[in-house]
Amino acid sequence: MNIDNLIANVIRADIRADSAYVVPDASGYIKLDAMENPYALPEALRQELATRLADAVLNRYPVASYATLKQKVSAKLGIPAGYGVLLGNGSDELIQIVTTTVASQERRAVVLAPVPAFVMYARSAQFAGADFVGVPLKADFSLDLDAMLAAIAEHKPAVVFLAYPNNPTGNLFATDEVEAILRALGETGIAVLDEAYQPFARRTFMDRLGEFENLVVMRTVSKLGLAGIRLGYMTAAPKLLAEFEKVRPPYNVNVLTQVAAEFVLDHVEVLDAQAASINAERERLAVELAALPGVEVFPSAANFISLRVPDAAGVCAKLLSGKVLIKNLSKMHPSLANCIRVTVSTPEENSAFLNGLKAALASKQAAT
Ligand code: PMP
């Protein structure tokens, strides 16, 4: 048998043409490419967590209702009274659940997002068999509201994803423009406000759910300091959430995640304090970056900063040679030419990045 023939016969053409989502191996590097919280839990909490995990019931499936974890998420992470939560294996899975719920063979649904956006919106739409429409942001990365409204009128998207703040640009979209999109969608489409970076932005549409029945608010504990356990959550009008719930795989959140999240959320103030110090570092980093010649810094409400440099590929290569890993955004979208994204980390790691960047910029200047 020829395996290539088998693949050609069995695997979808668009998947065959695609390449897998690449995550670089970061061992030995200062890892500033994935918006992780650099801080570990304090030792005392780690010890107590170890005891809880040792008691986890691994031979049984998780309790299917996830009632305790949902209550904890609701109480500690600000879900309004009267609204339920749907849990995901990271918010990546929630994005997949949303796109799968709206797309079908009979009705080719449209998923729309301003671009550049988080890449999983387009990928999940494609995998679900939906059409993805990207509407370019303005040059300053604010929403192009006229273009968004025109695209909504033309394509009648079932879902609009709005990352709030946006990844990879870091900015918050204007509240009145998000409201205009929710109103324009009305009964024909939902807007998913992806608040992955809410621990840093401290802004939310959670309190607007009563006003907009087509609003879904999605979040994750990843950026807060728990990226390793893979837990996302979302909420919406109960009837709408119940439809998404039908698509969720029954035991999608594993027992170890459940136990760890229930425990750590009881100490969420520890993670909030870490987020606050990351925010303070973001401000320091932004000021220092803005002072560098040839560097354009974009305002960020998240735990990362995007900036434009004279030669993004050169800067990334130089940083990599100094064992600092950041993200080159240049190929993601034309508006991101020569842009790079750096996760805000500890003061020491941020300084390592700054020094590496300064050296890269200096060697570039010397070369020209
Ligand atoms: N949404 C946005 C805007 C993101 O940037 C990310 C991660 N980079 C995610 C969702 C996915 O987060 P997770 O799957 O870790 O919950």
Side-chain angles (χ1 to χ4, degrees):
M1 188 171 63
N2 182 326
I3 187 77
D4 294 325
N5 289 341
L6 175 70
I7 288 170
N9 288 331
V10 172
I11 305 297
R12 286 162 46 170
D14 63 326
I15 303 285
R16 273 185 276 130
D18 207 348
S19 45
Y21 188 96
V22 181
V23 179
D25 179 11
S27 39
Y29 286 82
I30 294 179
K31 192 171 184 313
L32 305 178
D33 65 334
M35 284 77 82
E36 291 142 325
N37 173 345
Y39 298 107
L41 285 176
E43 187 53 29
L45 290 188
R46 292 175 54 189
Q47 291 305 325
E48 206 178 327
L49 174 61
T51 312
R52 303 282 180 105
L53 290 173
D55 290 340
V57 183
L58 300 185
N59 55 316
R60 302 283 179 199
Y61 285 107
V63 174
S65 69
Y66 294 103
T68 316
L69 178 54
K70 284 181 178 179
Q71 273 162 17
K72 195 72 80 185
V73 166
S74 299
K76 299 287 181 177
L77 300 173
I79 307 292
Y83 288 85
V85 282
L86 194 158
L87 303 174
N89 186 349
S91 47
D92 281 344
E93 187 184 42
L94 297 176
I95 294 165
Q96 219 170 0
I97 288 173
V98 170
T99 52
T100 308
T101 309
V102 299
S104 76
Q105 278 177 329
E106 303 86 66
R107 190 192 66 161
R108 232 183 133 77
V110 169
V111 171
L112 187 144
V115 288
F118 180 44
V119 288
M120 292 312 290
Y121 305 151
R123 284 181 80 78
S124 293
Q126 179 201 341
F127 297 156
D131 292 321
F132 180 78
V133 174
V135 179
L137 293 169
K138 290 184 178 168
D140 65 356
F141 300 138
S142 62
L143 281 173
D144 186 340
L145 185 61
D146 290 343
M148 286 293 288
L149 296 179
I152 288 168
E154 181 185 347
H155 299 288
K156 300 265 180 298
V159 183
V160 172
F161 281 102
L162 297 168
Y164 185 80
N166 191 38
N167 173 20
T169 57
N171 56 314
L172 282 162
F173 298 135
T175 312
D176 58 336
E177 298 188 339
V178 175
E179 290 165 357
I181 289 168
L182 279 157
R183 273 192 219 100
L185 288 168
E187 287 180 7
T188 64
I190 61 172
V192 176
L193 265 285
D194 179 348
E195 298 185 349
Y197 300 96
Q198 182 273 341
F200 309 95
R202 301 261 151 215
R203 293 266 298 272
T204 183
F205 272 76
M206 218 41 115
D207 53 354
R208 312 296 299 276
L209 286 160
E211 251 170 282
F212 298 105
E213 286 192 303
N214 60 346
L215 170 64
V216 174
V217 180
M218 181 183 285
R219 290 194 192 153
T220 175
V221 299
S222 292
K223 318 298 169 183
L224 192 57
L226 299 172
I229 70 171
R230 311 301 297 127
L231 181 68
Y233 58 102
M234 70 179 194
T235 187
K239 276 189 168 175
L240 183 56
L241 203 65
E243 298 300 324
F244 294 126
E245 186 66 42
K246 296 174 190 171
V247 176
R248 184 184 63 81
Y251 304 112
N252 61 331
V253 175
N254 73 77
V255 167
L256 295 173
T257 296
Q258 191 182 336
V259 169
E262 285 174 17
F263 172 70
V264 179
L265 287 179
D266 272 337
H267 304 278
V268 73
E269 68 286 348
V270 173
L271 302 182
D272 284 338
Q274 293 174 348
S277 59
I278 289 167
N279 271 354
E281 268 296 296
R282 180 187 68 213
E283 296 318 303
R284 171 185 79 102
L285 198 55
V287 168
E288 297 213 22
L289 288 170
L292 299 178
V295 172
E296 183 184 2
V297 183
F298 300 105
S300 171
N303 64 338
F304 60 88
I305 296 179
S306 294
L307 51 147
R308 181 169 282 121
V309 293
D311 171 20
V315 161
C316 289
K318 182 86 181 170
L319 283 166
L320 208 57
S321 70
K323 294 281 174 194
V324 178
L325 192 60
I326 61 161
K327 177 99 173 169
N328 185 354
L329 303 175
S330 304
K331 293 206 176 86
M332 269 185 75
H333 192 263
S335 65
L336 292 171
N338 276 325
C339 287
I340 58 175
R341 185 189 67 199
V342 60
T343 307
V344 181
S345 184
T346 59
E348 298 71 34
E349 292 196 349
N350 295 334
S351 295
F353 162 71
L354 265 173
N355 292 336
L357 177 64
K358 284 177 190 165
L361 293 171
S363 66
K364 174 74 186 163
Q365 262 174 357
T368 51

